[in-house]
Amino acid sequence: YATGRPCFCFAFFILTLHLAYGDLSYSIPEEMKRESLIGNAAKDLGLDLRTLASRQARVDFGGNHKRYCEINRSTGDLITSERIDRESLCGKKPSCVVKVDLVLENPLELHRVSLHIQDINDNSPKFKKHLIEMEIRESAERGNRFSIEEAHDADIGQNAVQRYTLQKNDNFILAVDSNKVELVLENKLDREKQKEMNLLLTALDGGSPQRSGTVVIHVTVLDANDNAPVFSQAVYKASLPENSPLDTVVITVKDDENVFSIDSKTGEIRVTGVIDFEERSSFEMRVQAKDGLGLTSYSKVMIDVTDINDNAPVIYLKSLSNPVPENVSPNTEVGIINVQDRDSETNGQVRCSIQQGVPFKLVPSIKNYYSLVTTGQLDRELVSDYNITVTATDEGSPPLSSSKAVQLSVADINDNPPVFEEQSYSAYVSENNKPGSTLCSVTARDPDWRQNGTVIYSVLPGEVNGAPVSSYVSVNGDTGVIHAVRSFDHEQFRSFKVHVMARDNGSPPLSSNVSVSVFISDVNDNSPQILYPAPEGKSLMTELVPKAAHGGSLVSKVIAVDADSGQNAWLSYHIVKSTDPGLFTIGVHSGEIRTQRDISESDSMKQNLIVAVKDNGQPSLSATCSMYLLISDNLAEVPELKDISYDEKNSKLTSYLIIALVCVSTFFLTFIIIILGVRFCRRRKPRLFAYLPPNYADVDGTGTLRSTYNYDAYLTTGSRTSDFKFVTSYSDNTLPADQTLRKSPTDFVDPFEDLDPSVEVGAVHKHL
């Protein structure tokens, strides 16, 4: 038969666990063949056959018991796996039950299965001896009884000894009751007629088929004698604590020779072997008393063994989900623990607990079973392994306890994104770097395990100056080292920013980003560029210097810039060659050309300066320019500049032509001035036109033009190839950008009063 009944639980034991408890009972005969069907546990418990394999369905046995059965995960059948001998398993106990646990996982589920082992008649009755010797006096009276040792049958109930038969003879009949077997003398013995006789005694059980055992009773007839010894009582009973020391007197009046002994003279029964209540709780033996003349009497001795607390609880780990994912919710069951104590009553009642400080607890479930349950959130990155000590203590006096260590690992979940060691990174690289050079390295840490903690680096898509960021930098996906893809130019751009992503290899992956600023430092790879005077090959620019100029007067300025920055753009000016080395000087940092002394009549009218502009880089780069100066107060004195050069060996023909041209021009201008003087009552100054040198400035404010200067340029329409400039220093101080510097008409020198009005002359005012 098979029965299933729900397990009653108190309200405070009810948890939201994936556990199902139920009792299942099967009654089977002993000695079944291996792989015999016991019952279909899956069907009887309502389990899904499709999940038995995935849920690791299995049968657990407590203690050191053999595995008497298994479950077939394909069919759900409970089948025998070992021979079951009821007699060796339970002895003479009227009920023999083997308790097993049917365990399923994912989720954990537990069912108690009871196997009731039924006795079969597989044992025959046996007498202790094959021959029983008896000596009886011929003087014995009719009705005298003589005890015979009973037969023993390992089976129980109907399969045990049910009756005895005695071979027919002339002198004895058989008397049997619940406690003893006796020969009863029916006719008196006559030694002279028959000194010896053999009687056949048969013991039969009630099984089917019936089994029997025999013994021969050999009776010797003696002469007259005293009465046979008689026991004071037919049955003796005694209680004996288990583990009683040797030589303990049990009772004063033979059982297993290895357990008890009897004093043949005093009748004291003593312990001679190990008494274990858990193995055997009672003993029953026959005691024989025999006098010196051979007369014998028998009595039964029954000894009950009382339990003492000599067994510590034993802890069995029935199921364990190991490792446990770190994201399990609180109150999740991760294991089942069974505690057994072989002692009885209070000695076998057990309390179970675990140590403090771990996020687990034990919750009692069905008898002697506990659920190991989480009490809080697990975090593998904080604690990856737990050593849980389970302690079980019984209620005996004194109490006994035992402990078991449960190793529990926490499985990693990808719950941590990579984290960069810095909030942002900066990389510094000199321009003109080689492609492939290392810029910097970024590092991200992920505390997760294995692939969940493996970090892969990549550059996020974006643009730098309109080009894909991938054309500027790349990152090693394994190491986080950032490389330059191309050579950088500080003059093109001085910094840019990229974003690097660190992604783990989990599923799904987690990531984080960090910004990397790349700063391109300047290298002195640009020579100074001279803006004024114009580079050679363009129109010839000649500056006019008044003859009356005093020492320190500003006569011109060299204007230069450098595309580099910082100290690589710090410019210095130097006169490397001049017509008169002592006449002019140049500001080292300003580029201003000034007279060192007053101009004298002996100074050459044509002055040529070669100026070098150097930057402050390492190594220094430089550029040179030529500055042409004419010392004159009157345009009429200015020779044709077409052929002016620093070369002192100009042909005489050119000089004559210039002189002639000046004379004609002077005459013509004088004539025009006279006519104008007659027509007009007052003089008029010539109209001024602006000559504007280019305005250059460094884009970041580090340019090399730092002062404001004014230039007046005088142009003649008669010369198409040359320009004349008269430079006057209005102020050494810088003027505001919104202020125009002008001269009054009276500020112009007299030599221009005689100019022909038809000649267009312009003056330029420019703020630099």
Side-chain angles (χ1 to χ4, degrees), residues 130-132 134 136 148 165-174 183-185 189 194 196-202 214-219:
H130 297 292
L131 179 64
I132 299 176
M134 297 186 66
I136 303 175
I148 303 297
T165 62
L166 182 66
Q167 182 184 12
K168 187 172 182 177
N169 62 90
D170 296 331
N171 301 99
F172 296 96
I173 61 173
L174 193 63
L183 289 179
V184 179
L185 185 60
L189 299 174
Q194 188 177 7
E196 296 178 350
M197 65 183 68
N198 290 322
L199 305 176
L200 183 63
L201 180 62
T202 302
T214 61
V215 66
V216 175
I217 304 172
H218 180 75
V219 178

Side-chain angles (χ1 to χ4, degrees), residues 184-198:
V184 179
L185 185 60
E186 186 178 34
N187 295 313
K188 292 193 66 173
L189 299 174
D190 187 351
R191 184 174 182 277
E192 287 72 19
K193 186 178 179 180
Q194 188 177 7
K195 295 182 179 180
E196 296 178 350
M197 65 183 68
N198 290 322

Side-chain angles (χ1 to χ4, degrees), residues 266-571:
T266 65
E268 292 179 344
I269 296 176
R270 296 179 180 270
V271 175
T272 58
V274 177
I275 305 297
D276 190 350
F277 174 85
E278 288 70 42
E279 293 295 330
R280 191 167 180 179
S281 61
S282 65
F283 294 88
E284 181 178 323
M285 66 194 76
R286 299 289 290 178
V287 178
Q288 177 190 48
K290 186 176 182 181
D291 64 11
L293 297 177
L295 297 181
T296 305
S297 180
Y298 294 90
S299 181
K300 183 184 293 185
V301 177
M302 301 178 66
I303 301 174
D304 292 325
V305 181
T306 59
D307 182 52
I308 65 170
N309 191 28
D310 61 339
N311 290 281
V314 181
I315 302 171
Y316 297 98
L317 185 61
K318 290 297 184 180
S319 180
L320 184 66
S321 298
N322 196 14
V324 180
E326 62 177 322
N327 63 342
V328 297
S329 58
N331 290 329
T332 298
E333 185 177 64
V334 297
I336 297 178
I337 293 173
N338 175 239
V339 182
Q340 297 181 10
D341 194 317
R342 298 181 64 196
D343 295 320
S344 300
E345 298 179 350
T346 58
N347 294 330
Q349 295 179 5
V350 179
R351 301 186 311 271
C352 202
S353 63
I354 61 174
Q355 80 272 27
Q356 299 294 321
V358 293
F360 301 94
K361 65 179 179 180
L362 284 178
V363 178
S365 55
I366 62 176
K367 182 179 179 182
N368 294 332
Y369 276 86
Y370 296 84
S371 298
L372 184 61
V373 179
T374 60
T375 59
Q377 190 69 46
L378 304 179
D379 190 344
R380 191 205 66 85
E381 287 69 49
L382 294 179
V383 181
S384 60
D385 295 280
Y386 289 94
N387 188 358
I388 304 171
T389 301
V390 180
T391 302
T393 305
D394 63 26
E395 298 288 343
S397 180
L400 300 178
S401 64
S402 60
S403 299
K404 185 178 183 65
V406 177
Q407 300 290 335
L408 193 63
S409 299
V410 181
D412 184 52
I413 298 296
N414 191 29
D415 57 348
N416 291 281
V419 177
F420 285 95
E421 291 183 347
E422 305 289 342
Q423 292 184 349
S424 62
Y425 290 85
S426 298
Y428 298 89
V429 59
S430 299
E431 64 175 327
N432 305 325
N433 59 292
K434 293 182 179 180
S437 57
T438 299
L439 300 181
C440 69
S441 177
V442 297
T443 303
R445 308 292 183 186
D446 193 322
D448 292 323
W449 195 50
R450 288 188 177 177
Q451 71 270 15
N452 292 334
T454 301
V455 179
I456 301 173
Y457 303 92
S458 61
V459 177
L460 292 177
E463 291 188 350
V464 176
N465 286 357
V469 67
S470 58
S471 64
Y472 285 87
V473 297
S474 65
V475 63
N476 187 303
D478 297 326
T479 64
V481 176
I482 299 177
H483 301 276
V485 174
R486 62 164 66 175
S487 179
F488 301 135
D489 186 359
H490 174 81
E491 287 70 47
Q492 183 182 6
F493 54 89
R494 302 185 179 184
S495 66
F496 62 91
K497 183 178 291 187
V498 299
H499 291 87
V500 176
M501 179 180 70
R503 174 181 59 84
D504 61 30
N505 213 20
S507 179
L510 300 178
S511 63
S512 60
N513 302 334
V514 71
S515 63
V516 180
S517 299
V518 181
F519 298 95
I520 305 168
S521 58
D522 185 50
V523 172
N524 192 29
D525 58 345
N526 291 280
S527 300
Q529 179 183 0
I530 299 175
L531 304 180
Y532 185 85
E536 294 184 6
K538 297 184 179 180
S539 60
L540 182 64
M541 182 68 67
T542 302
E543 305 261 355
L544 292 179
V545 180
K547 292 181 178 180
H550 298 290
S553 299
L554 176 65
V555 297
S556 186
K557 175 178 174 63
V558 176
I559 302 173
V561 295
D562 195 315
D564 295 321
S565 60
Q567 66 177 14
N568 294 327
W570 296 350
L571 302 181

